Amino acid sequence: MKTNSNKKENNTSNIYVALDNIRSAQNVGSFFRTSDSLSVDKIFLCGITSVPPNKEILKTALGATESVKWEHFEKTSKCIEFLKAQGFKIICIEQTEKSLMLNEYEFNLDQNICLVFGNEIEGVSKEIIEMADDCVEIPQLGAKHSLNVSVVGGIVIWDLLNRKLRRKL
């Protein structure tokens, strides 16, 4: 298991991200950059998802691999089992028949939450969807009903952080 251990310690958003077999290292780099900007505590890189150092990750991460904690799991299912054993709420970001709309979903803002994002073509694997506590999707009005996974990550992570920030006011 690969990991980095010398990253920022004062990060306490209770927001974690798991990437389930993301093919594009540039998407992974975008997740690092977004995670740094939006105070994600840790990224779990699972399956075929590239890990730093990787020149394609570094192109889009712009140094965020040095400021965001990360850990690699060979299998996403092992990551989810590990997180569930620690009491995490596992939320897949995926379009399914049972998905709840992001704008209507009620997050428990006091709980550690891991948002799971899936492969660019296949999405979050069925096995992981079945292990998750919930599935959430972004309401989309266009014809394609498809967004780049790193764009989805930015939207969902920002929405969750925004809810936490508004609660503190």
XYZ file of all heavy atoms in Angstrom, residues 30-107:
626
model
N -6.431 16.588 -11.178
C -7.487 17.578 -10.920
C -8.146 17.350 -9.572
O -8.467 18.309 -8.865
C -8.540 17.528 -12.034
O -7.992 17.985 -13.245
N -8.347 16.084 -9.192
C -8.900 15.796 -7.869
C -7.955 16.278 -6.771
O -8.402 16.813 -5.755
C -9.204 14.300 -7.705
C -10.601 13.924 -8.067
C -10.880 13.360 -9.296
C -11.652 14.135 -7.186
C -12.173 13.009 -9.642
C -12.952 13.796 -7.516
C -13.213 13.227 -8.755
N -6.652 16.096 -6.955
C -5.694 16.597 -5.957
C -5.812 18.110 -5.821
O -5.862 18.644 -4.707
C -4.258 16.205 -6.318
C -3.834 14.888 -5.745
C -3.872 13.739 -6.517
C -3.393 14.795 -4.432
C -3.477 12.516 -5.994
C -2.999 13.577 -3.896
C -3.039 12.430 -4.678
N -5.848 18.802 -6.931
C -5.901 20.266 -6.895
C -7.199 20.750 -6.252
O -7.193 21.660 -5.410
C -5.771 20.795 -8.318
C -5.529 22.258 -8.407
C -5.086 22.602 -9.803
N -5.111 24.015 -10.055
C -4.973 24.540 -11.252
N -4.810 23.766 -12.295
N -5.004 25.838 -11.404
N -8.316 20.151 -6.635
C -9.609 20.501 -6.040
C -9.620 20.176 -4.552
O -10.108 20.965 -3.738
C -10.743 19.757 -6.768
O -10.763 20.174 -8.137
C -12.092 20.010 -6.131
N -9.072 19.027 -4.197
C -9.057 18.602 -2.792
C -8.235 19.541 -1.930
O -8.599 19.825 -0.788
C -8.529 17.168 -2.680
O -9.436 16.273 -3.293
N -7.126 20.041 -2.476
C -6.336 21.018 -1.745
C -7.140 22.303 -1.548
O -7.228 22.833 -0.441
C -5.040 21.325 -2.497
C -4.243 22.412 -1.804
O -3.633 22.122 -0.764
O -4.264 23.556 -2.298
N -7.746 22.759 -2.608
C -8.499 24.015 -2.564
C -9.686 23.945 -1.613
O -10.003 24.919 -0.933
C -8.989 24.352 -3.975
O -9.794 25.493 -3.959
N -10.346 22.788 -1.559
C -11.583 22.654 -0.787
C -11.394 21.869 0.509
O -12.364 21.443 1.131
C -12.671 22.020 -1.657
C -13.024 22.827 -2.913
C -14.068 22.087 -3.747
C -13.510 24.222 -2.553
N -10.147 21.698 0.941
C -9.827 21.172 2.269
C -10.251 19.722 2.502
O -10.659 19.360 3.601
C -10.445 22.088 3.339
O -9.846 21.858 4.578
N -10.141 18.879 1.475
C -10.403 17.440 1.652
C -9.306 16.872 2.546
O -8.125 17.194 2.392
C -10.438 16.732 0.278
C -10.376 15.217 0.427
C -11.682 17.159 -0.491
N -9.695 16.023 3.498
C -8.723 15.462 4.435
C -7.779 14.454 3.789
O -6.598 14.408 4.123
C -9.432 14.795 5.616
C -9.997 15.810 6.596
O -9.526 16.955 6.612
O -10.913 15.451 7.347
N -8.302 13.621 2.881
C -7.462 12.572 2.296
C -8.131 12.034 1.040
O -9.360 11.971 0.968
C -7.255 11.449 3.310
C -6.221 10.416 2.929
C -5.984 9.465 4.114
C -4.793 8.586 3.881
N -4.524 7.706 5.044
N -7.305 11.622 0.079
C -7.787 10.949 -1.122
C -7.321 9.493 -1.070
O -6.145 9.214 -0.804
C -7.230 11.599 -2.408
C -7.654 13.057 -2.523
C -7.681 10.815 -3.637
C -7.055 13.772 -3.731
N -8.242 8.584 -1.351
C -7.919 7.167 -1.477
C -7.913 6.826 -2.958
O -8.924 6.979 -3.649
C -8.937 6.311 -0.711
C -8.926 6.586 0.764
C -9.827 7.489 1.318
C -7.998 5.976 1.595
C -9.810 7.770 2.671
C -7.972 6.260 2.957
C -8.886 7.149 3.493
N -6.760 6.396 -3.439
C -6.572 6.054 -4.847
C -6.686 4.534 -4.957
O -5.865 3.815 -4.379
C -5.202 6.540 -5.321
C -4.928 8.021 -5.048
C -3.464 8.353 -5.271
C -5.820 8.891 -5.902
N -7.694 4.065 -5.687
C -8.020 2.640 -5.659
C -7.919 1.994 -7.039
O -8.243 2.613 -8.058
C -9.427 2.445 -5.113
S -9.675 3.167 -3.474
N -7.507 0.718 -7.029
C -7.456 -0.055 -8.258
C -6.432 0.501 -9.230
O -5.292 0.761 -8.868
N -6.860 0.720 -10.487
C -5.956 1.186 -11.545
C -5.668 2.681 -11.475
O -4.894 3.199 -12.279
C -6.494 0.828 -12.944
C -7.788 1.609 -13.243
C -6.663 -0.671 -13.104
C -8.199 1.596 -14.695
N -6.270 3.377 -10.535
C -6.051 4.820 -10.404
C -4.561 5.095 -10.205
O -3.925 4.493 -9.345
C -6.854 5.381 -9.213
O -8.232 5.052 -9.384
C -6.702 6.883 -9.099
N -4.017 5.998 -11.013
C -2.594 6.349 -10.918
C -2.285 6.986 -9.573
O -3.140 7.624 -8.966
C -2.224 7.341 -12.025
O -2.391 6.759 -13.285
N -1.040 6.818 -9.146
C -0.583 7.402 -7.888
C 0.637 8.290 -8.148
O 1.388 8.050 -9.085
C -0.239 6.319 -6.838
C -1.447 5.465 -6.507
C 0.910 5.450 -7.305
N 0.831 9.318 -7.321
C 2.037 10.132 -7.444
C 3.278 9.299 -7.098
O 3.163 8.355 -6.314
C 1.822 11.226 -6.402
C 0.358 11.240 -6.134
C -0.101 9.834 -6.329
N 4.432 9.627 -7.623
C 4.633 10.661 -8.644
C 4.291 10.105 -10.030
O 4.651 8.981 -10.356
C 6.119 10.983 -8.527
C 6.742 9.700 -8.059
C 5.702 9.023 -7.191
N 3.594 10.877 -10.775
C 3.196 10.528 -12.138
C 3.120 11.848 -12.893
O 2.434 12.769 -12.448
C 1.840 9.814 -12.112
C 1.265 9.552 -13.479
O 1.003 10.487 -14.241
N 1.030 8.295 -13.782
N 3.822 11.944 -14.019
C 3.923 13.248 -14.693
C 2.572 13.777 -15.141
O 2.354 14.986 -15.139
C 4.917 13.201 -15.847
C 4.461 12.494 -17.081
C 5.513 12.600 -18.176
C 4.886 12.180 -19.488
N 5.736 12.449 -20.627
N 1.625 12.902 -15.487
C 0.299 13.360 -15.898
C -0.487 13.894 -14.700
O -1.240 14.855 -14.827
C -0.472 12.245 -16.605
C 0.138 11.831 -17.937
C 0.201 12.965 -18.938
O -0.809 13.659 -19.141
O 1.288 13.171 -19.526
N -0.335 13.269 -13.543
C -0.963 13.787 -12.321
C -0.372 15.161 -12.001
O -1.097 16.115 -11.718
C -0.767 12.830 -11.124
C -1.568 11.543 -11.319
C -1.181 13.513 -9.816
C -1.330 10.497 -10.240
N 0.944 15.252 -12.064
C 1.631 16.492 -11.692
C 1.254 17.659 -12.590
O 1.227 18.811 -12.132
C 3.138 16.272 -11.692
C 3.649 15.214 -10.697
C 5.153 15.034 -10.830
C 3.259 15.549 -9.274
N 0.925 17.385 -13.862
C 0.524 18.455 -14.794
C -0.691 19.220 -14.290
O -0.760 20.437 -14.416
C 0.168 17.870 -16.166
C 1.311 17.600 -17.070
C 0.760 17.094 -18.403
C 1.852 16.595 -19.299
N 1.319 16.081 -20.575
N -1.670 18.501 -13.776
C -2.912 19.159 -13.356
C -2.955 19.429 -11.853
O -3.678 20.318 -11.420
C -4.146 18.333 -13.776
O -3.971 16.977 -13.370
C -4.361 18.390 -15.280
N -2.195 18.685 -11.068
C -2.223 18.877 -9.612
C -1.525 20.162 -9.182
O -1.873 20.732 -8.141
C -1.587 17.685 -8.908
N -0.565 20.617 -9.962
C 0.174 21.849 -9.658
C 0.667 21.906 -8.205
O 0.484 22.884 -7.502
C -0.673 23.089 -9.974
C -1.040 23.276 -11.447
C -1.898 24.516 -11.621
C 0.202 23.343 -12.319
N 1.263 20.808 -7.758
C 1.847 20.767 -6.420
C 0.939 20.235 -5.330
O 1.384 20.020 -4.206
N -0.320 20.008 -5.635
C -1.270 19.570 -4.598
C -0.991 18.157 -4.092
O -1.458 17.796 -3.008
C -2.704 19.681 -5.102
N -0.211 17.366 -4.817
C 0.158 16.047 -4.302
C 1.054 16.166 -3.083
O 1.220 15.209 -2.334
C 0.866 15.191 -5.379
O 2.029 15.891 -5.827
C -0.061 14.892 -6.545
N 1.606 17.359 -2.869
C 2.452 17.615 -1.702
C 1.662 18.151 -0.510
O 2.199 18.222 0.591
C 3.570 18.593 -2.063
C 4.494 18.077 -3.157
C 5.131 16.747 -2.783
O 5.618 16.618 -1.643
O 5.141 15.842 -3.639
N 0.427 18.548 -0.725
C -0.353 19.147 0.366
C -1.594 18.339 0.745
O -2.220 18.634 1.757
C -0.776 20.570 -0.010
O -1.548 20.567 -1.189
N -1.935 17.346 -0.046
C -3.117 16.522 0.236
C -2.653 15.113 0.570
O -1.894 14.491 -0.177
C -4.078 16.484 -0.981
C -5.254 15.559 -0.708
C -4.561 17.888 -1.324
N -3.129 14.598 1.696
C -2.811 13.220 2.078
C -3.465 12.263 1.094
O -4.571 12.509 0.610
C -3.337 12.912 3.481
C -2.644 13.654 4.573
C -3.253 13.249 5.906
C -2.674 14.072 7.020
N -3.250 13.681 8.312
N -2.791 11.151 0.834
C -3.369 10.134 -0.031
C -2.868 8.749 0.379
O -1.851 8.620 1.050
C -3.055 10.405 -1.507
C -1.599 10.383 -1.872
C -0.740 11.451 -1.850
C -0.824 9.260 -2.283
N 0.513 11.060 -2.231
C 0.492 9.709 -2.513
C -1.117 7.913 -2.484
C 1.513 8.862 -2.929
C -0.102 7.065 -2.904
C 1.193 7.543 -3.122
N -3.640 7.759 -0.047
C -3.294 6.371 0.227
C -3.817 5.528 -0.920
O -4.879 5.816 -1.469
C -3.929 5.933 1.551
C -3.532 4.569 2.030
C -4.040 4.277 3.439
O -4.429 5.225 4.156
O -4.052 3.094 3.815
N -3.065 4.503 -1.291
C -3.472 3.624 -2.391
C -3.944 2.275 -1.857
O -3.325 1.703 -0.957
C -2.314 3.397 -3.368
C -2.682 2.502 -4.498
N -2.286 1.193 -4.571
C -3.439 2.729 -5.601
C -2.770 0.652 -5.672
N -3.477 1.557 -6.312
N -5.054 1.795 -2.395
C -5.566 0.458 -2.129
C -5.636 -0.286 -3.457
O -6.129 0.260 -4.447
C -6.978 0.509 -1.522
C -7.012 0.824 -0.054
C -6.926 2.134 0.386
C -7.136 -0.192 0.879
C -6.958 2.437 1.739
C -7.170 0.105 2.239
C -7.087 1.414 2.668
N -5.158 -1.521 -3.479
C -5.235 -2.332 -4.698
C -6.680 -2.563 -5.127
O -6.973 -2.636 -6.318
C -4.535 -3.684 -4.502
C -3.030 -3.581 -4.367
C -2.340 -3.106 -5.631
O -2.798 -3.464 -6.739
O -1.349 -2.358 -5.512
N -7.580 -2.702 -4.158
C -8.997 -2.938 -4.450
C -9.839 -1.890 -3.734
O -9.671 -1.664 -2.533
C -9.423 -4.328 -3.993
C -8.768 -5.438 -4.774
C -9.340 -6.779 -4.389
C -8.738 -7.835 -5.281
N -9.608 -8.975 -5.417
N -10.769 -1.316 -4.471
C -11.661 -0.311 -3.871
C -12.457 -0.918 -2.730
O -12.688 -0.263 -1.710
C -12.594 0.276 -4.947
O -11.802 0.703 -6.062
C -13.379 1.458 -4.411
N -12.867 -2.165 -2.879
C -13.668 -2.810 -1.838
C -12.917 -2.860 -0.502
O -13.526 -2.679 0.561
C -14.095 -4.218 -2.264
O -12.960 -5.023 -2.531
N -11.616 -3.077 -0.534
C -10.816 -3.096 0.706
C -10.789 -1.706 1.343
O -10.836 -1.571 2.572
C -9.393 -3.592 0.440
C -9.341 -5.031 -0.015
C -9.822 -5.963 1.064
C -9.694 -7.403 0.625
N -10.408 -8.320 1.510
N -10.715 -0.688 0.519
C -10.753 0.689 1.028
C -12.084 0.961 1.721
O -12.112 1.499 2.832
C -10.537 1.665 -0.126
S -10.679 3.401 0.338
N -13.172 0.585 1.069
C -14.502 0.845 1.629
C -14.692 0.056 2.922
O -15.222 0.594 3.905
C -15.608 0.523 0.591
C -15.424 1.378 -0.672
C -16.991 0.698 1.203
C -15.335 2.869 -0.450
N -14.253 -1.196 2.957
C -14.330 -1.986 4.194
C -13.547 -1.305 5.317
O -14.024 -1.217 6.449
C -13.776 -3.395 3.961
C -14.663 -4.271 3.104
C -13.992 -5.583 2.708
O -12.810 -5.825 3.088
O -14.642 -6.362 2.001
N -12.358 -0.826 5.012
C -11.507 -0.116 5.974
C -12.223 1.117 6.521
O -12.258 1.349 7.739
C -10.194 0.259 5.276
C -9.313 1.188 6.046
C -8.561 0.746 7.126
C -9.216 2.531 5.683
C -7.741 1.616 7.826
C -8.396 3.408 6.374
C -7.657 2.942 7.458
N -12.830 1.912 5.635
C -13.502 3.142 6.056
C -14.773 2.844 6.852
O -15.047 3.498 7.860
C -13.819 4.006 4.837
C -12.597 4.559 4.104
C -13.003 5.205 2.793
C -11.827 5.525 4.981
N -15.543 1.861 6.406
C -16.780 1.514 7.126
C -16.469 1.030 8.548
O -17.201 1.349 9.484
C -17.579 0.472 6.345
C -18.296 1.071 5.137
C -19.161 0.065 4.437
C -20.544 0.018 4.892
N -21.500 1.025 4.602
N -15.374 0.303 8.698
C -14.976 -0.186 10.025
C -14.642 0.976 10.963
O -14.707 0.831 12.181
C -13.779 -1.127 9.904
N -14.312 2.132 10.393
C -14.007 3.318 11.186
C -15.212 4.254 11.314
O -15.076 5.361 11.824
C -12.840 4.076 10.555
C -11.550 3.284 10.581
C -10.419 4.080 9.989
O -10.149 5.193 10.425
N -9.753 3.528 9.005
N -16.363 3.819 10.832
C -17.582 4.601 11.007
C -17.865 5.630 9.932
O -18.739 6.482 10.111
N -17.153 5.588 8.837
C -17.392 6.533 7.747
C -18.734 6.282 7.071
O -19.175 5.144 6.949
C -16.319 6.389 6.658
C -15.042 7.114 6.944
C -14.155 6.639 7.900
C -14.708 8.252 6.241
C -12.961 7.288 8.150
C -13.517 8.919 6.478
C -12.645 8.433 7.445
N -19.358 7.352 6.626
C -20.515 7.268 5.740
C -19.954 7.243 4.322
O -19.189 8.122 3.933
C -21.433 8.474 5.933
C -22.599 8.494 4.986
C -23.878 8.396 5.738
C -25.058 8.369 4.794
N -26.284 8.271 5.503
N -20.337 6.233 3.556
C -19.835 6.057 2.194
C -20.927 6.493 1.223
O -22.030 5.930 1.223
C -19.448 4.583 1.918
C -18.490 4.054 2.993
C -18.891 4.429 0.507
C -17.177 4.790 3.115
N -20.612 7.498 0.413
C -21.583 8.036 -0.536
C -20.987 7.970 -1.939
O -19.995 8.643 -2.240
C -21.960 9.494 -0.188
C -22.506 9.563 1.238
C -22.967 10.038 -1.202
C -22.727 10.969 1.747
N -21.583 7.127 -2.776
C -21.161 7.051 -4.176
C -21.798 8.193 -4.950
O -22.987 8.479 -4.775
C -21.594 5.727 -4.803
S -20.702 4.302 -4.173
N -21.014 8.811 -5.779
C -21.528 9.852 -6.655
C -21.734 9.179 -8.007
O -20.791 8.965 -8.765
C -20.560 11.047 -6.737
C -20.152 11.517 -5.332
C -21.192 12.167 -7.553
C -21.312 11.874 -4.400
N -22.987 8.799 -8.248
C -23.298 7.964 -9.408
C -24.770 8.062 -9.744
O -25.603 8.213 -8.849
C -22.925 6.504 -9.100
C -23.055 5.563 -10.257
C -22.167 5.940 -11.430
O -20.942 5.766 -11.345
O -22.720 6.428 -12.438
N -25.078 7.945 -11.023
C -26.462 7.911 -11.474
C -26.957 6.467 -11.407
O -26.482 5.615 -12.150
C -26.570 8.427 -12.919
C -26.152 9.867 -13.063
C -26.012 10.301 -14.514
O -25.782 9.498 -15.397
N -26.147 11.593 -14.749
N -27.877 6.212 -10.476
C -28.499 4.894 -10.354
C -30.006 5.112 -10.194
O -30.462 6.247 -9.998
C -27.984 4.112 -9.123
O -28.491 4.721 -7.929
C -26.465 4.074 -9.070
N -30.748 4.033 -10.252
C -32.199 4.146 -10.069
C -32.560 4.640 -8.675
O -33.625 5.224 -8.481
C -32.867 2.797 -10.341
C -32.874 2.420 -11.808
C -33.633 1.139 -12.082
O -34.446 0.715 -11.226
O -33.418 0.571 -13.165
N -31.691 4.410 -7.707
C -31.977 4.796 -6.329
C -31.217 6.047 -5.882
O -31.260 6.415 -4.715
C -31.658 3.637 -5.391
C -32.550 2.431 -5.620
C -32.238 1.325 -4.645
C -33.159 0.139 -4.897
N -32.884 -0.961 -3.990
N -30.506 6.691 -6.809
C -29.746 7.891 -6.446
C -30.658 8.996 -5.947
O -31.772 9.177 -6.445
C -28.968 8.430 -7.661
O -27.942 7.558 -8.016
N -30.141 9.728 -4.990
C -30.812 10.915 -4.474
C -30.155 12.131 -5.119
O -28.950 12.127 -5.378
C -30.684 10.965 -2.960
C -31.230 9.724 -2.233
C -30.746 9.685 -0.801
C -32.728 9.691 -2.318
N -30.919 13.168 -5.365
C -30.377 14.369 -5.996
C -29.543 15.161 -4.984
O -29.942 15.336 -3.832
C -31.499 15.248 -6.560
C -32.208 14.628 -7.734
S -31.055 14.375 -9.089
C -31.872 13.074 -9.986
N -28.399 15.640 -5.416
C -27.478 16.362 -4.548
C -28.156 17.535 -3.845
O -27.966 17.739 -2.637
C -26.274 16.867 -5.365
C -25.250 17.720 -4.624
C -24.600 16.935 -3.482
C -24.200 18.232 -5.593
N -28.968 18.288 -4.570
C -29.604 19.470 -3.973
C -30.659 19.106 -2.931
O -31.078 19.959 -2.159
C -30.203 20.371 -5.058
C -31.217 19.654 -5.919
O -30.960 18.568 -6.428
N -32.372 20.274 -6.104
N -31.084 17.853 -2.879
C -32.087 17.403 -1.905
C -31.486 16.524 -0.809
O -32.154 16.227 0.178
C -33.193 16.625 -2.631
C -33.939 17.464 -3.652
C -34.879 16.645 -4.522
O -34.885 15.391 -4.420
O -35.602 17.257 -5.322
N -30.247 16.108 -0.975
C -29.624 15.169 -0.050
C -29.245 15.866 1.252
O -28.720 16.973 1.254
C -28.379 14.533 -0.680
C -27.815 13.417 0.146
C -28.411 12.169 0.167
C -26.685 13.616 0.928
C -27.900 11.133 0.936
C -26.159 12.588 1.699
C -26.774 11.353 1.703
O -26.271 10.333 2.473
N -29.525 15.203 2.366
C -29.195 15.728 3.698
C -27.946 15.028 4.216
O -27.997 13.885 4.646
C -30.361 15.508 4.668
C -31.618 16.288 4.319
C -31.445 17.791 4.436
O -30.672 18.245 5.316
O -32.065 18.509 3.636
N -26.803 15.696 4.140
C -25.561 15.163 4.677
C -25.559 15.297 6.191
O -26.031 16.299 6.730
C -24.357 15.951 4.140
C -24.058 15.734 2.690
C -24.518 16.636 1.732
C -23.304 14.651 2.276
C -24.217 16.455 0.398
C -23.004 14.461 0.941
C -23.467 15.367 -0.011
